[in-house]
Amino acid sequence: GTVWAWGDNGDAQLGNGITDECITPTGVQNLADVMTVAAGSNHTAAVASDGAAWTWGNNLYGQLGDGTTTDKAAPVQVEGMADVIGIAAGAYHTVALKSDGTVWAWGFNFFGQLGDGTKTDSLQPVQVAGLSDVMEIAAGAYHTAALKNDGTVWAWGSNSFGQLGDGTKTDRLQPVQVAGLSNVIQVAAGSDHTLAVKGDGTAWSWGLNFLGQLGNGNQTDSALPLQVTG
């Protein structure tokens, strides 16, 4: 249940009380009984088995959720969050899934990635609007995705490359359903693209494809899900 981290530490994202980079794993301070972790651009998040969420590192936009914009070199508890079962971290925002199927987010919100219908940054968790019965979450750099128990995928935030999968390149301040996708069992997000695994074992992707990250044999962006080749 302990957490270990290594690499760049300029914003204290390793949670070991200092800002020196570490080329071998170092223990995160004052944190135990953890069941899941997530890494943002320069901040880190964890969920303990008691349902509490903890964060550390860069806090420029409030992505630590402790009501401040002060960086933290050791874990701080996210304000007002309980019964958390999943967590995801974008570039400068953080997203949590509660056991009741609701999704909450905090931090940078310029593209609407908090999903509360605004573009206002938040230093504390705000509930994602109109979204329930969620089983898994994922965060890209500036967008967020959620998988519901009915096998549908929903996304919100930046959509410059079609990473929301709704057939447009329009940013969304609230969740929109990914078009033509059902029976999904897992979802993941890269910086500007999104992926899903369906119950039949096939993989699907959409969004930025400049480097071939959609896996469909070309380098053309797609605003709709495409099956990963082979």
Side-chain angles (χ1 to χ4, degrees):
T2 58
V3 178
W4 296 73
W6 52 97
D8 183 26
N9 198 27
D11 292 311
Q13 59 264 49
L14 301 188
N16 60 356
I18 60 175
T19 56
D20 299 328
E21 70 175 40
C22 297
I23 60 174
T24 56
T26 178
V28 175
Q29 292 184 348
N30 307 321
L31 198 62
D33 206 23
V34 170
M35 62 178 188
T36 188
V37 293
S41 181
N42 296 99
H43 75 290
T44 317
V47 178
S49 62
D50 63 359
W54 298 80
T55 53
W56 57 95
N58 185 277
N59 199 24
L60 180 63
Y61 299 100
Q63 61 263 45
L64 301 190
D66 68 339
T68 78
T69 55
T70 304
D71 295 352
K72 299 296 190 302
V76 292
Q77 190 167 349
V78 178
E79 289 191 351
M81 289 301 294
D83 301 317
V84 177
I85 60 172
I87 202 154
Y92 302 105
H93 74 292
T94 313
V95 189
L97 171 63
K98 295 183 67 171
S99 60
D100 63 2
T102 60
V103 178
W104 299 72
W106 55 96
F108 190 49
N109 197 28
F110 181 80
F111 299 99
Q113 58 264 51
L114 301 190
D116 66 341
T118 78
K119 288 189 173 185
T120 304
D121 300 344
S122 181
L123 310 186
Q124 293 105 3
V126 292
Q127 187 171 354
V128 175
L131 194 64
S132 59
D133 200 32
V134 172
M135 60 180 286
E136 189 175 62
I137 53 175
Y142 305 110
H143 75 290
T144 315
L147 169 61
K148 297 183 65 170
N149 279 305
D150 64 2
T152 60
V153 178
W154 299 71
W156 58 98
S158 175
N159 200 23
S160 302
F161 304 100
Q163 59 263 49
L164 302 189
D166 67 342
T168 77
K169 292 188 176 181
T170 303
D171 296 349
R172 303 294 183 181
L173 308 186
Q174 295 184 9
V176 292
Q177 186 172 351
V178 176
L181 203 59
S182 60
N183 193 31
V184 174
I185 59 173
Q186 189 175 12
V187 67
S191 181
D192 297 297
H193 72 294
T194 316
L195 305 102
V197 177
K198 296 183 66 172
D200 62 2
T202 58
W204 298 71
S205 57
W206 55 98
L208 183 66
N209 198 27
F210 178 71
L211 299 173
Q213 53 264 62
L214 301 191
N216 61 354
N218 63 55
Q219 291 177 282
T220 303
D221 301 344
S222 180
L224 292 169
L226 299 172
Q227 188 171 346
V228 177
T229 304

